[in-house]
Amino acid sequence: MAEDDGGLAPDDNARDGGAPEEADHTVALDLEELILGAPRRYTPYQAARTAEVPMELATRFWRAMGFPDIGQSRALNDGDVIALRRLAGLVESGLINEAMAIQVARSTGQTTARLAGWQMDTFLENLTQAAEPGLTRAEVAYPLVELLLPELEQFLIYVWRRQLAAVTGRVVQAAEDTEITSGKLAVGFADLVGFTRLSRRLEEEELGSLVETFESTCADLIAGQGGRLIKTLGDEILYVSEDPVTAAEIALSLVETLTEQESIPALRVGMAFGTVTSRMGDVFGTTVNLASRLTSIAQRDAVLIDGQFAAALEQAGAAGQGAADGTGTAQAQLADALAAHSGVSLGAMGRAAGAAGTPRFQLQAMWRRPVRGLGLVEPWLLTRRAKPIR
């Protein structure tokens, strides 16, 4: 359609642009307007011009946020114009460059797309099942979204600010900028054994329930002990921690907790400690690859770590080498006897126990083996020290 050189006049006769085939107000359009808080008004070209952003840059922002090209459909509103203006304004002010602005758009789009999909699937599935007779699911959705929207919006802002505060705290404590993007981290993968075979036998609802239980249990344990859940992949989770001792405790807790749940298959965990590159909330690098490979060779309900991880645990006084039968070192046996005599649990002793020379973990060197893409690797089996016999 031809565009004039002056201001843009909204089409008040049809909220979706006035095309005859789109003139009817559908429930989907009603929901869109309710959620976005404004009717459709602009084509992409009009929105970019109103925001004073080059069309090429506006298209890159739009695609980075995860939205498809819409040609010259009049499907954008004032909120889209404001968003374009804000992103472009950050670049123009010099606070961030254009590449960073694209990253902001992409990371935000990917994260919120998953969140929005999960929320609507969950709420619409669970809360529209008992619809009034004669009402369709679409008709029930509008009042439901109308009630949920302000509460979900405020909660999202609260959680985002909390997460931002936590991340900012970690960043400002870094001694140098290199520690932020390429610092050392303990990386852990936890993988359900035999999940593919199990998925063929279970009904979809049963499989979904299993995955939800697995992911929620892991997420709670990781967060509760101070780790960071990076992502979940159905039958696998990836987490990190700045502290190897914390990461080791999380790994063993995951195995112990999930073993008690009969509906969950056996778990295996692989961990590595070393330099990690962080980008857009994800982690990359050789350390991550090594943790993944160790997971693939771990036995059922076992935790394997690499040599650097083992060395870091020993340096922290949290682990000692011992036999597989749990006899451990003489120092560990003495610590067990003292703990039993004093009645103080290992959990209560915590880090103080490690500092006092009473390691809570035990390491056993495994056979060296070639690992695809990483050469010869010597895994270490990580276990808890056996409790003393009273």
Side-chain angles (χ1 to χ4, degrees), residues 121-195:
D121 286 345
T122 300
F123 289 127
L124 292 182
E125 178 67 29
N126 294 332
L127 300 181
T128 61
Q129 289 179 348
E132 292 291 330
L135 291 179
T136 65
R137 183 176 180 180
E139 290 170 326
V140 176
Y142 190 94
L144 178 62
V145 172
E146 190 173 26
L147 290 172
L148 287 173
L149 186 62
E151 302 303 323
L152 292 177
E153 181 180 24
Q154 291 304 312
F155 188 69
L156 174 61
I157 293 172
Y158 158 74
V159 175
W160 172 72
R161 285 182 177 271
R162 266 288 174 191
Q163 293 286 6
L164 189 63
V167 173
T168 303
R170 290 195 297 266
V171 170
V172 298
Q173 289 175 8
E176 296 179 4
D177 290 343
T178 54
E179 296 181 10
I180 299 173
T181 56
S182 299
K184 282 193 171 184
L185 287 175
V187 179
F189 275 95
D191 176 53
L192 292 175
V193 179
F195 180 81

Side-chain angles (χ1 to χ4, degrees), residues 174-241:
E176 296 179 4
D177 290 343
T178 54
E179 296 181 10
I180 299 173
T181 56
S182 299
K184 282 193 171 184
L185 287 175
V187 179
F189 275 95
D191 176 53
L192 292 175
V193 179
F195 180 81
T196 302
R197 291 194 304 272
L198 184 64
S199 65
R200 298 193 187 104
R201 302 201 311 266
L202 294 179
E203 298 291 336
E204 289 186 5
E205 186 173 341
E206 293 177 306
L207 186 63
S209 178
L210 185 152
V211 170
E212 184 176 353
T213 300
F214 169 64
E215 292 185 351
S216 60
T217 301
C218 291
D220 289 346
L221 280 171
I222 292 168
Q225 298 195 44
R228 282 185 284 144
L229 180 63
I230 299 299
K231 59 186 173 183
T232 59
L233 301 170
D235 62 332
E236 186 176 54
I237 57 122
L238 169 62
Y239 73 94
V240 300
S241 174

